[in-house]
Amino acid sequence: MTGRLILLRHGQTEWSRTGRHTGRTDVALTAEGEEQARALRTWSSMLDPRLVLVSPLERARRTAELAGLADVVLDDNLQEWDYGGYEGLTTPQIRQTTEPGWTVFRNGVVPGDTPGESLEQVASRAGAVLERVRPELEHGDVVLVGHGHALRVLTTVWLDVDPCMGAQLLLDPATVSMLGSQHDVPAIASWNVPVTD
């Protein structure tokens, strides 16, 4: 493999700023999120990726656009975790009303009428993304523009470790991470790096 797998989390939204679980709700970037995305232009101008895959949700598409990434391809498998009935709630709210000590990586999402996705389902989607990009990585870099939890799960699939480990991989808005390998062992080359213009 000659290429790097470059992960870009979208810029700040009002819901990410306040810690609300933002799965499929299509919220826009804040003014600060748009600034964060524009600051990525200098960084992205140094890239010549073979492929740029982007979540179809507005916050990811807008980040890619403002960052100056060209020829993007939308990929539904890069969408954020579907939180079901926990959509829009913060972790403290969920712990107070439903389940003390809850985390999405350990406990999953609420059962019932709006169950959302299991960790295994998110990992399966991540695996599909990786299968799609592996041939391209033989020839150059691939950029994935997506969401915090989904990209953390994708990283665990890349590393071939338990997806629950994603809980330990913090990922801030508008940060860049790079995955690669050393001696054919999947590895994290850099993680959660802020980019300033």
Side-chain angles (χ1 to χ4, degrees):
M1 184 181 76
T2 61
R4 301 167 298 175
L5 184 56
I6 302 168
L7 312 182
L8 173 58
R9 184 180 174 195
H10 64 76
Q12 181 195 77
T13 68
E14 185 59 30
W15 282 25
S16 69
R17 187 187 68 74
T18 56
R20 295 171 68 181
H21 284 84
T22 318
R24 303 301 170 85
T25 302
D26 212 2
V27 297
L29 297 178
T30 61
E32 182 176 343
E34 293 214 351
E35 269 184 50
Q36 292 170 334
R38 280 188 199 93
L40 294 161
R41 270 190 181 271
T42 302
W43 162 81
S44 70
S45 69
M46 296 182 285
L47 299 175
D48 184 23
R50 295 269 307 172
L51 178 65
V52 179
L53 293 182
V54 179
S55 161
L57 296 173
E58 178 185 351
R59 55 196 184 270
R61 287 186 290 111
R62 183 71 173 146
T63 297
E65 175 189 349
L66 292 173
L69 294 166
D71 302 320
V72 304
V73 177
L74 301 183
D75 190 325
D76 286 343
N77 284 320
L78 279 174
Q79 290 187 79
E80 181 59 293
W81 199 319
D82 181 347
Y83 301 114
Y86 288 160
E87 181 78 4
L89 300 178
T90 66
T91 295
Q93 288 172 325
I94 296 166
R95 288 177 175 176
Q96 288 171 358
T97 60
T98 307
E99 196 169 348
W102 177 89
T103 73
V104 70
F105 285 96
R106 183 178 56 238
N107 305 102
V109 295
V110 65
D113 293 339
T114 52
E117 287 182 291
S118 67
L119 177 58
E120 294 75 19
Q121 288 171 312
V122 180
S124 177
R125 286 196 290 112
V129 172
L130 293 176
E131 285 302 309
R132 181 176 185 178
V133 303
R134 282 185 201 279
E136 301 299 330
L137 289 168
E138 295 297 326
H139 307 285
D141 294 341
V142 172
V143 178
L144 305 179
V145 184
H147 310 274
H149 282 157
L151 290 176
R152 289 159 70 179
V153 173
L154 182 140
T155 300
T156 67
V157 176
W158 176 265
L159 296 173
D160 195 24
V161 297
D162 188 327
C164 287
M165 187 188 164
Q168 279 77 49
L169 299 171
L170 304 182
L171 194 58
D172 296 320
T175 55
V176 176
S177 302
M178 293 190 195
L179 306 180
S181 64
Q182 185 174 47
H183 307 299
D184 298 322
V185 177
I188 296 174
S190 63
W191 188 258
N192 200 34
V193 178
V195 176
T196 56
D197 57 1

